[in-house]
Amino acid sequence: MQRHAVLSRLITGAAGLRRRRQTPSASVSPSLFSSSSKRLDHPDERRASASRASTSAPSAPRYVLGIETSCDDTAAAVVSESGEVLGESILSSVDLQAKFGGVVPNLARQAHEDAIDGVVAEALHAAQLEPPDLSGVAVTIGPGLSLCLKVGVLKAREVAHLGGCPLIPVHHMEAHALVARALAAASSYDDDPSSSAQPAPAFPFLALLVSGGHNLLVLVEGLGVYKILGTTLDDAVGEAYDKVARLLGLDLSRGGGPAVEELALSGDAEAHAFPVPLKNSRDKAKNCDFSFAGLKTSVRTAVERTIGIGGGGGGGLEVGEEAARAKVKADIAASFQRVAVEHLCLRTRTAVLWARETHPGLGEIVVAGGVASNRTLRRELEALALDLDLKLVCPPPRYCTDNGVMVAWTGMERLRAGVGVGECPETPRPEEGEWVELRPRWPLGDLDPRCSQQRQKIRSAKTKNIKMSLTQETALLMAADKARLQRT
Ligand code: KG4
Ligand code: ZN
């Protein structure tokens, strides 16, 4: 097996034939992105709808199951070809991890193992489908924690084998970027009126992807075709939110980000003049890179000076001054959030200008990933988009954080385009010595030459095991397909 196996061979096996299933040719039904779809409650109604939506194979409605286990959420969902969410289920171990101050890989793996069968069964049950009804099983194979990814991949393999359908390997950040394209259908499931009736973005669009491990500005030129305009030089913004929550001693059972956001509501965002990252640095001020390490340090210093790390005393306040302590915490949270959001928005503004150099008609910006559920960020991006004459597309908050729908939808897009679709596993479990490929470190695309990291050509030991990017692989797949077509 080659080191850089192409996507269609990602899940490999011991010697022997694989059951193959014909993948469909590229076609995108206009109805897929219609913003008028509504929730269909009866499964027959859903099936009929999905079948109507399929222009390429009207007699074969397609349903894709998506499985996500890259971090601390065990999630599964079934979507139809028209983007309807037929069933979904999610179990988070964030409260368990919170007791240990962050994600502990072995604990997370155990939590996924305990949850995976139930979560997948629940999603299928809600969709009233069985594995043989599925047209594909999509699963996140990276980036993420290997131990965790493996749980999802093994389950996906089992279901795909049972269903006799292909396994579709998915890049976690691609899934965050693309979930907005299923938005028209997905938003009908959301109770946030501000996120309904949004347009589904068409390629090309700009995506700001903000999660616990990634902070990217990406020009999404097509399925599997990504140009990274900016990335983080140190931490991701979600990581910074989690750290600030710990410094302030907040309840982490729902995650650090939501805790800081809630506390910030009662704080004075101007109380602390934390410097905006990279704003005044000579060469980095004008690019799209991010940095949150300095902001984290500023917050730490402010906490040490006032309430003490963990917010439980030991700083400048007397123990017992509870109201004052709460006010200081809220002010720090609000000031941190103001600066973090300003940094994200400034970089996004530059990215829009860069993107318009090659795509002058760029009309949409998508924000996704866990931090995209933050209301202050959404509000400020809305103002930025208005200023730049762009449409801002925010998935409903629950589709910003990790979920099964984004994986199922990405699988559906790949199935429809016939790009990066794997084979049907011959056995439900890997055989002795069989290698299951996971991609804990997996770039989404190439860095724009103006990125600091690209200029520095970082070659640390850490980067040695990085796979070729999804975008490079997509290009290889397309070239191979073209060559095959020319031969026949
Ligand atoms: O995308 P995601 O669910 O998982 C990863 O792929 O990392 O993102 C999780 C991150 C966490 O760091 C969490 O604290 C942050 O998103 N987050 C938020 C909010 N909700 C989740 N950050 C700020 N405000 C929020 N409302
Ligand atoms: Zn994520």
Side-chain angles (χ1 to χ4, degrees):
M1 190 70 201
Q2 276 183 320
R3 178 174 164 70
H4 295 308
V6 290
L7 284 171
S8 58
R9 283 188 230 120
L10 278 178
I11 313 298
T12 66
L17 290 173
R18 293 274 168 275
R19 238 184 307 161
R20 292 194 80 105
R21 202 173 165 124
Q22 198 64 36
T23 54
S25 58
S27 71
V28 176
S29 151
S31 64
L32 184 62
F33 307 122
S34 118
S35 57
S36 61
S37 42
K38 63 178 176 63
R39 182 175 184 161
L40 303 173
D41 286 316
H42 193 277
D44 291 340
E45 208 183 336
R46 290 179 193 157
R47 287 191 184 111
S49 156
S51 146
R52 274 195 305 274
S54 165
T55 53
S56 49
S59 58
R62 295 191 191 134
Y63 308 111
V64 171
L65 169 73
I67 298 178
E68 160 61 41
T69 61
S70 66
C71 190
D72 51 10
D73 293 310
T74 314
V78 182
V79 299
S80 75
E81 196 169 11
S82 62
E84 296 285 344
V85 181
L86 303 182
E88 60 178 317
S89 176
I90 183 162
L91 255 184
S92 174
S93 68
V94 69
D95 52 345
L96 173 71
Q97 309 288 337
K99 296 193 184 104
F100 296 86
V103 179
V104 181
N106 261 318
L107 273 181
R109 176 190 50 83
Q110 188 60 53
H112 286 305
E113 279 179 355
D114 295 345
I116 191 77
D117 289 346
V119 162
V120 169
E122 198 170 287
L124 284 170
H125 179 76
Q128 301 192 16
L129 294 173
E130 304 274 347
D133 299 321
L134 298 170
S135 314
V137 179
V139 61
T140 303
I141 67 155
L145 299 166
S146 295
L147 287 174
C148 298
L149 292 164
K150 193 169 179 185
V151 178
V153 170
L154 291 180
K155 182 67 189 176
R157 177 194 173 114
E158 184 189 307
V159 181
H161 171 80
L162 275 175
C165 63
L167 203 49
I168 310 169
V170 167
H171 190 296
H172 183 80
M173 298 315 287
E174 174 174 58
H176 272 307
L178 296 185
V179 73
R181 282 166 61 86
L183 196 64
S187 61
S188 66
Y189 277 68
D190 192 57
D191 44 13
D192 170 8
S194 70
S195 61
S196 62
Q198 293 199 34
F203 301 128
F205 59 86
L206 183 70
L208 171 65
L209 304 179
V210 275
S211 69
H214 299 267
N215 212 116
L216 299 170
L217 272 161
V218 186
L219 182 56
V220 182
E221 296 185 304
L223 179 65
V225 187
Y226 304 97
K227 188 179 281 172
I228 311 297
L229 302 182
T231 183
T232 184
L233 304 176
D234 38 59
D235 305 319
V237 61
E239 211 174 334
Y241 264 95
D242 294 338
K243 179 72 183 175
V244 169
R246 282 199 294 279
L247 288 170
L248 293 172
L250 306 185
D251 172 10
L252 302 177
S253 58
R254 287 187 306 119
V260 172
E261 178 178 21
E262 197 176 314
L263 181 63
L265 288 175
S266 54
D268 173 6
E270 304 293 335
H272 296 270
F274 301 138
V276 178
L278 307 178
K279 197 172 175 182
N280 299 315
S281 110
R282 227 164 17 111
D283 53 335
K284 292 179 187 142
K286 291 191 173 56
N287 69 19
C288 302
D289 289 333
F290 300 91
S291 167
F292 289 95
L295 180 57
K296 269 180 8 186
T297 306
S298 301
V299 170
R300 169 182 280 278
T301 308
V303 173
E304 278 169 350
R305 203 165 19 85
T306 52
I307 50 174
I309 299 298
L317 294 177
E318 292 296 316
V319 176
E321 294 177 332
E322 276 312 313
R325 195 180 306 283
K327 171 78 176 111
V328 170
K329 282 188 186 184
D331 286 351
I332 292 175
S335 301
F336 158 76
Q337 180 163 271
R338 173 182 56 78
V339 174
V341 167
E342 183 177 341
H343 181 42
L344 292 172
C345 289
L346 281 171
R347 299 288 146 159
T348 305
R349 179 180 285 276
T350 306
V352 172
L353 303 182
W354 285 13
R356 281 184 168 161
E357 286 171 12
T358 47
H359 298 86
L362 185 91
E364 283 154 327
I365 172 162
V366 168
V367 55
V371 185
S373 55
N374 184 283
R375 278 159 292 178
T376 304
L377 177 61
R378 290 163 89 100
R379 195 186 60 226
E380 292 302 315
L381 284 174
E382 191 65 65
L384 178 74
L386 199 67
D387 190 40
L388 294 171
D389 197 21
L390 282 168
K391 265 185 214 145
L392 176 71
V393 182
C394 301
R398 68 193 177 112
Y399 295 127
C400 287
T401 46
D402 291 351
N403 61 83
V405 172
M406 66 187 203
V407 181
W409 179 255
T410 303
M412 182 63 81
E413 292 234 24
R414 289 196 165 274
L415 196 64
R416 293 178 65 99
V419 175
V421 177
E423 296 170 1
C424 177
E426 202 172 62
T427 57
R429 274 170 294 282
E431 286 157 9
E432 185 77 17
E434 186 176 343
W435 176 53
V436 175
E437 185 166 6
L438 308 170
R439 298 187 171 196
R441 297 174 64 76
W442 186 13
L444 188 59
D446 293 339
L447 290 178
D448 186 280
R450 290 162 287 189
C451 287
S452 310
Q453 286 197 3
Q454 177 69 359
R455 285 207 303 271
Q456 287 166 12
K457 293 256 184 293
I458 293 172
R459 281 281 170 267
S460 69
K462 258 176 150 188
T463 58
K464 277 189 190 145
N465 290 330
I466 292 182
K467 299 279 178 193
M468 97 168 49
S469 76
L470 176 65
T471 303
Q472 289 166 338
E473 279 189 62
T474 306
L476 279 183
L477 280 172
M478 304 294 255
D481 261 6
K482 205 168 152 193
R484 199 172 47 238
L485 278 175
Q486 276 166 356
R487 278 200 304 273
T488 53

